[in-house]
Amino acid sequence: DFAHVDPDQAEIHDTLINWSLWVNPGHPSYMHPMWAKSRSNAWQWHVPEHRPTCDILKAQRTEKAVSKLPEKHRYAVRWCYVHRGHPAKAAKKLGVTADGLYKLVRDGRQMLINRVNTYANSD
């Protein structure tokens, strides 16, 4: 179950959710850039829903940490939090099983926790 997060990884999970809001601000990846900021002139029949805000500076630090993960772990974490495609497709791309993909996501989160703790202890 890819939605399962170990209790000791809950804090980094929240950090990665914040990061995913910054990386993927809600625009479909298939939208042409010319239309990305266009507004409809149609009558609004309901109150627009606003997306949750994110801590931009924390998200940028997270992006820097994620980008330094080993390739397979980086891909798995980005898949889990940003792309959210079918697990079989991501597992096939990485050459692992679905359990292997889950392990890469879990280990990637743990690597991020270790890096944060390493940087915090070096001050």
Side-chain angles (χ1 to χ4, degrees):
D1 182 17
F2 289 97
H4 173 76
V5 177
D6 296 333
D8 60 328
Q9 293 185 341
E11 188 176 340
I12 197 68
H13 175 70
D14 293 340
T15 300
L16 287 165
I17 288 173
N18 176 72
W19 165 73
S20 71
L21 291 171
W22 178 73
V23 171
N24 187 13
H27 293 297
S29 59
Y30 58 82
M31 184 179 290
H32 190 281
M34 181 172 86
W35 302 109
K37 296 191 181 203
S38 66
R39 300 279 182 224
S40 170
N41 291 330
W43 179 262
Q44 294 289 327
W45 292 99
H46 60 86
V47 178
E49 296 177 23
H50 298 285
R51 69 178 181 92
T53 59
C54 67
D55 181 343
I56 295 171
L57 295 177
K58 188 174 185 178
Q60 289 175 342
R61 287 191 301 270
T62 306
E63 170 63 25
K64 192 172 187 179
V66 169
S67 70
K68 292 180 181 178
L69 289 174
E71 184 178 353
K72 286 188 175 188
H73 295 87
R74 181 175 60 238
Y75 182 88
V77 168
R78 287 187 191 280
W79 166 79
C80 184
Y81 288 94
V82 180
H83 305 296
R84 298 184 188 110
H86 196 278
K89 188 175 179 182
K92 183 178 179 182
K93 181 171 175 66
L94 291 172
V96 297
T97 63
D99 289 337
L101 179 62
Y102 176 73
K103 186 175 181 343
L104 286 170
V105 172
R106 191 184 68 229
D107 292 349
R109 284 193 296 247
Q110 189 60 49
M111 287 178 194
L112 291 169
I113 291 169
N114 294 343
R115 288 180 185 197
V116 167
N117 290 340
T118 300
Y119 294 136
N121 294 332
S122 66
D123 291 339

